[in-house]
């Protein structure tokens, strides 16, 4: 999501980037199998920590 005059709006970045689609699919599958959102995030961060792309600046979920 991006900010647009103080409102949130979705962008299509994750729909067109293969790695983003893969991460989204992995996150959904893990969550549907009972993994908490915090554990999903930690797992994905760990999996991609040594990549060439900086990790997301999105805050860690608190739910």
């Amino acid at each position: 999501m991006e900010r647009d005059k103080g409102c949130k709006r979705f962008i299509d970045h994750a729909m067109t980037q293969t790695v983003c689609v893969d991460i989204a699919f992995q996150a959904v599958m893990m969550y549907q199998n009972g993994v908490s959102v915090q554990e999903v995030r930690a797992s994905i961060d760990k999996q991609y920590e040594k990549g060439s792309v900086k990790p997301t600046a999105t805050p860690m979920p608190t739910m």
Side-chain angles (χ1 to χ4, degrees):
M1 275 188 256
E2 289 184 347
R3 294 275 178 185
D4 184 14
K5 297 180 184 176
C7 298
K8 293 181 182 179
R9 67 183 174 89
F10 288 97
I11 57 172
D12 65 357
H13 172 85
M15 299 297 291
T16 59
Q17 303 298 314
T18 305
V19 71
C20 296
V21 172
D22 292 345
I23 290 170
F25 180 77
Q26 178 182 357
V28 169
M29 295 302 294
M30 291 175 74
Y31 185 73
Q32 287 179 340
N33 284 300
V35 179
S36 73
V37 292
Q38 294 90 349
E39 292 171 312
V40 170
R41 170 68 182 274
S43 174
I44 291 170
D45 283 352
K46 179 117 177 98
Q47 182 178 351
Y48 290 94
E49 72 185 354
K50 294 183 181 177
S52 59
V53 179
K54 287 185 176 184
T56 181
T58 305
M60 185 64 79
T62 58
M63 331 184 333

